Amino acid sequence: MQTILGMILGAVLLALGVYVYDSMQTSSVANGQVAETNRTIVNWDVVASDWHSLKARAHDDWVRISSK
């Protein structure tokens, strides 16, 4: 149980660390070609879209399973 909890905590800390690192980087859209060397690691718009799709699918599956 401690191993699973440690893996989950590690994944959360990794995602949080990447988000903090990316939020401190300049945007290449806002500052033109000068900022291309400091691009973010993760495209957070795509992550948000995928997360929304995952939540919607899980909700739909839960409704389908619980209605049986």
Side-chain angles (χ1 to χ4, degrees):
M1 185 65 181
Q2 290 176 343
T3 303
I4 294 171
L5 183 61
M7 290 169 35
I8 292 170
L9 182 62
V12 169
L13 287 175
L14 177 66
L16 182 64
V18 169
Y19 179 77
V20 169
Y21 176 81
D22 278 352
S23 67
M24 289 188 221
Q25 298 300 312
T26 58
S27 171
S28 61
V29 174
N31 296 330
Q33 293 194 6
V34 175
E36 286 186 10
T37 58
N38 293 331
R39 295 179 65 190
T40 58
I41 296 173
V42 177
N43 186 345
W44 293 103
D45 295 332
V46 174
V47 172
S49 174
D50 290 347
W51 179 249
H52 177 69
S53 298
L54 177 69
K55 288 193 317 186
R57 184 175 174 190
H59 176 70
D60 293 342
D61 288 347
W62 177 257
V63 168
R64 183 178 51 85
I65 290 170
S66 64
S67 67
K68 289 184 179 183

